[in-house]
Amino acid sequence: VLDSQYGMYTWPCAVVLAQYLWVHRRSLPGKRVLEVGAGVSLPGVVAAKCGAEVMLSDSEELPQCLHNCRRSCLANRLPHVPVVGLTWGRVSPGLLSLAPVDIILGSDVFFDPKDFEDILTTVYFLLEKNPHAEFWTTYQVRSADWSIEALLCKWKLKNTRVPLHSFSADKEHLASSSLPGRHTIEMIIISLARSDGT
């Protein structure tokens, strides 16, 4: 879907995160996975195809994105994957009633700095409810001034960088796609920090 609006386009970060899921596909069957800011849902669709129990979400204020999540599921013969509206930073009935999760996915959700704290607020809420869970996220480096480090400390979250070469994603072309192209993409895994700060 080549529409430049946020959730209407397959961004390079989605291809990189999908590659990570594919490389780790043997660990996915039976895992409960939630993709946030799913848009066209490439990572979530890959996780579902690999045997994970997936739920897709995007902003409840963006019905076209939720529609695209459903269309992606239908196009990939995944009609039973639930799609729910979750708006970052908002405690909603949908957020409160989510089933337990093991993995939260987010590709290029750290796009606009004004949303960073809302994203991490939602991620923190989900990790508090699911302390064993992890947030697997890829992001495109767009500005040296953009950082989530202070917010991670504020929300008592830790991050682990995942080198792209460790899952063969340090290339301009992945899976017969010209994405990620010449973009600088990073991957991190965010989890709750232990009480000793690690």
Side-chain angles (χ1 to χ4, degrees), residues 75-148:
N76 287 282
R77 297 186 183 102
L78 298 166
H80 302 297
V81 170
V83 176
V84 63
L86 298 177
T87 301
W88 297 327
R90 182 181 300 160
V91 177
S92 64
L95 182 65
L96 293 171
S97 64
L98 281 178
V101 297
D102 301 304
I103 301 166
I104 306 158
L105 301 175
S107 66
D108 217 4
V109 295
F110 294 109
F111 179 87
D112 190 339
K114 72 176 179 50
D115 295 327
F116 289 3
E117 184 148 28
D118 286 342
I119 294 162
L120 288 175
T121 300
T122 300
V123 167
Y124 178 80
F125 177 85
L126 292 167
L127 293 176
E128 275 283 297
K129 277 183 66 174
N130 305 277
H132 65 282
E134 295 178 328
F135 178 40
W136 297 359
T137 185
T138 50
Y139 62 94
Q140 183 175 328
V141 178
R142 293 183 172 89
S143 170
D145 297 335
W146 294 4
S147 174
I148 61 169

Side-chain angles (χ1 to χ4, degrees), residues 59-70:
S59 174
E60 56 201 333
E61 298 168 358
L62 300 171
Q64 187 61 42
C65 289
L66 295 170
H67 177 70
N68 274 349
C69 289
R70 291 182 189 97

Side-chain angles (χ1 to χ4, degrees), residues 49-61:
K49 288 286 193 176
C50 291
E53 297 172 25
V54 173
M55 177 180 292
L56 302 173
S57 72
D58 212 311
S59 174
E60 56 201 333
E61 298 168 358

Side-chain angles (χ1 to χ4, degrees), residues 161-168 187:
R161 187 174 169 275
V162 180
L164 268 56
H165 68 82
S166 70
F167 58 101
S168 302
M187 178 169 177

